[in-house]
Amino acid sequence: MNELLGKRIKALRTAKHFTQEQLAEKIGVSRQKYARIENGINNITLEDLSRIAEVLSVTVGDITRVLDETPVVAYRVGHENTSAKKMFDMLDLFYANKHLYDKLQSDSKE
């Protein structure tokens, strides 16, 4: 979650042609703390999020909207319990069983 927010904030910051240092100064935090927010290392407080939104002339909802968006193919990128993951798991199981079946058939013929 922090990583998604960080990427969204970075995209908005670069669109406004701010450096990390400039934005950090405007919201009252160190550049290092701001960089950790953008990199998804630090949790972002609602207060910091509100300040960032104000400086970038967007709403908090504009920033957090990225959390509502789901990846097109979420499987194999860390998202569990998705329908895509379940489908790929079924395909993996099918091919594993097919491979085992083929092997057993060839062993029984020998």
Side-chain angles (χ1 to χ4, degrees):
M1 179 173 89
N2 292 335
E3 196 173 310
L4 288 173
L5 285 175
K7 286 180 182 179
R8 177 70 174 148
I9 292 168
K10 181 179 181 178
L12 292 168
R13 174 184 60 79
T14 56
K16 297 284 184 173
H17 306 290
F18 284 123
T19 65
Q20 283 186 344
E21 192 164 325
Q22 289 171 326
L23 191 57
E25 185 179 312
K26 289 181 182 289
I27 66 169
V29 299
S30 69
R31 191 207 53 82
Q32 292 82 3
K33 179 179 179 180
Y34 179 79
R36 288 191 299 267
I37 289 171
E38 265 193 17
N39 291 323
I41 297 168
N42 276 15
N43 288 327
I44 186 168
T45 65
L46 182 56
E47 184 178 337
D48 288 339
L49 189 60
S50 298
R51 284 191 220 136
I52 291 169
E54 184 178 331
V55 170
L56 296 175
S57 301
V58 297
T59 66
V60 171
D62 291 333
I63 297 172
T64 59
R65 183 170 297 127
V66 71
L67 299 175
D68 296 332
E69 299 168 357
T70 55
V72 176
V73 178
Y75 180 65
R76 303 197 197 274
V77 292
H79 296 278
E80 301 298 325
N81 298 324
T82 64
S83 59
K85 181 190 181 317
K86 290 176 186 174
M87 183 176 67
F88 282 115
D89 285 345
M90 289 188 319
L91 287 169
D92 289 345
L93 182 61
F94 169 79
Y95 283 110
N97 285 330
K98 182 179 182 321
H99 178 71
L100 180 61
Y101 175 80
D102 290 344
K103 182 175 177 0
L104 290 172
Q105 288 297 316
S106 68
D107 286 349
S108 68
K109 290 180 183 177
E110 293 175 3

